């Protein structure tokens, strides 16, 4: 049976994960949060005092599983559900740094491809349409201004203890954009056949409806 795939790429904070999760639910697709996979790798790396030691143990000692409970993706690292540990600022920034390493990207590449062969998927990340799923049925490059992305993130975190300032969040986003776009391996860029969707002045549901409309046009869904 032929499977269908939708690739959503874009910079940090563009809303890729929340949009992809909702659209996957509407279409009955499996949502694959590739950013969470990289953050799980980053969490694993904290067990080692150096990047060299981390890489030396990556293949043998890092075992990742995706499990779905009620349509929600959970990440298991060596048998432990670590989903709730992956959204700290430290882990997020470390994931951005480690994603530039070819060993890390190669480790996750086949995992992501295998999932797409087995299920109808929506996969979001930085290089899905360019590297992971170059033959995806629909490719979208979802972006927004850095200021808008920082504002959204600030509103998510403002009620939490030790929440960073808007200025800190903006600086982190700008640094992550630079890291992602300038890494030597699979830099963040819009695939030539991807549809650009700028959500700076769009609401969440507007973005979802636009992608659902595009899916109807580009995918032969039963």
């Amino acid at each position: 049976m032929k499977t269908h795939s939708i690739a959503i790429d874009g910079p940090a904070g563009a809303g890729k994960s929340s949009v992809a999760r909702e659209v996957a639910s509407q279409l009955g697709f499996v949502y694959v949060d590739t950013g969470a996979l990289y953050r799980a790798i980053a969490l694993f790396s904290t067990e080692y005092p150096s990047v060299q030691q981390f890489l030396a143990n990556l293949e043998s000692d890092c075992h990742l599983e995706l499990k779905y409970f009620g349509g929600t993706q959970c990440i298991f690292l060596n048998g432990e559900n670590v989903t709730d540990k992956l959204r700290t600022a430290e882990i997020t920034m470390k994931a951005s740094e480690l994603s530039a390493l070819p060993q890390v990207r190669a480790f996750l590449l086949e995992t992501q491809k295998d999932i797409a062969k087995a299920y109808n998927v929506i996969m979001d990340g930085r290089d899905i349409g360019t590297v992971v799923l170059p033959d995806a049925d629909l490719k979208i490059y979802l972006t927004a201004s850095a200021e808008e992305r920082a504002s959204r993130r600030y509103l998510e975190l403002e009620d939490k203890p030790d929440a960073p300032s808007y200025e800190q969040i903006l600086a982190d986003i700008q640094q992550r954009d630079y890291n992602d776009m300038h890494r030597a391996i699979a830099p963040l860029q819009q695939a030539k056949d991807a549809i650009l969707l700028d959500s700076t002045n769009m609401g969440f549901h507007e973005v979802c409806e636009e992608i659902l409309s595009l899916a109807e046009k580009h995918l032969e869904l039963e």
Side-chain angles (χ1 to χ4, degrees):
M1 183 186 75
K2 172 178 167 52
T3 57
H4 296 289
S5 56
I6 299 174
I8 302 181
D9 290 308
K16 300 184 300 297
S17 296
S18 54
V19 165
R21 187 180 296 109
E22 175 62 22
V23 173
S25 175
Q26 294 280 345
L27 293 174
F29 280 27
V30 167
Y31 164 58
V32 183
D33 180 358
T34 62
L37 291 172
Y38 280 98
R39 284 189 287 274
I41 296 284
L43 181 63
F44 172 76
S45 76
T46 61
E47 299 177 15
Y48 298 92
S50 71
V51 172
Q52 290 76 14
Q53 287 178 280
F54 149 66
L55 291 175
N57 290 277
L58 180 60
E59 287 282 348
S60 59
D61 294 346
C62 183
H63 304 287
L64 295 178
E65 291 180 276
L66 291 182
K67 295 184 180 181
Y68 295 88
F69 301 99
T72 299
Q73 175 185 280
C74 293
I75 305 288
F76 282 73
L77 172 61
N78 294 333
E80 178 189 357
N81 186 349
V82 297
T83 308
D84 293 337
K85 299 180 179 181
L86 303 180
R87 286 290 180 177
T88 68
E90 177 189 4
I91 293 299
T92 298
M93 187 58 72
K94 184 174 283 291
S96 179
E97 296 168 1
L98 295 180
S99 67
L101 300 176
Q103 300 97 320
V104 172
R105 305 200 73 80
F107 179 78
L108 288 178
L109 181 60
E110 291 307 314
T111 298
Q112 296 169 86
K113 286 181 176 291
D114 287 344
I115 294 170
K117 289 176 184 175
Y119 304 97
N120 291 328
V121 300
I122 295 182
M123 200 174 290
D124 73 282
R126 304 290 189 277
D127 63 347
I128 307 305
T130 54
V131 176
V132 180
L133 300 177
D135 297 321
D137 299 294
L138 172 62
K139 300 178 187 179
I140 294 166
Y141 189 84
L142 180 62
T143 189
S145 70
E147 291 76 14
E148 174 63 19
R149 288 182 280 135
S151 179
R152 293 172 184 173
R153 187 64 175 152
Y154 175 75
L155 291 174
E156 287 177 9
L157 298 174
E158 64 177 342
D159 293 332
K160 295 186 177 181
D162 302 318
S165 68
Y166 167 81
E167 289 76 17
Q168 288 174 302
I169 295 172
L170 178 59
D172 283 347
I173 282 178
Q174 291 171 331
Q175 183 62 54
R176 287 189 67 192
D177 285 353
Y178 182 87
N179 291 348
D180 292 339
M181 293 177 181
H182 290 82
R183 66 189 180 211
I185 305 296
L188 169 64
Q189 58 185 335
Q190 181 179 340
K192 292 180 179 178
D193 53 348
I195 297 168
L196 176 65
L197 187 55
D198 189 327
S199 69
T200 301
N201 297 308
M202 298 176 70
F204 172 76
H205 293 292
E206 288 181 88
V207 176
C208 292
E209 288 300 323
E210 180 64 23
I211 295 177
L212 285 167
S213 177
L214 290 169
E216 289 181 9
K217 294 177 183 177
H218 289 80
L219 280 66
E220 297 177 3
L221 302 177
E222 297 180 359

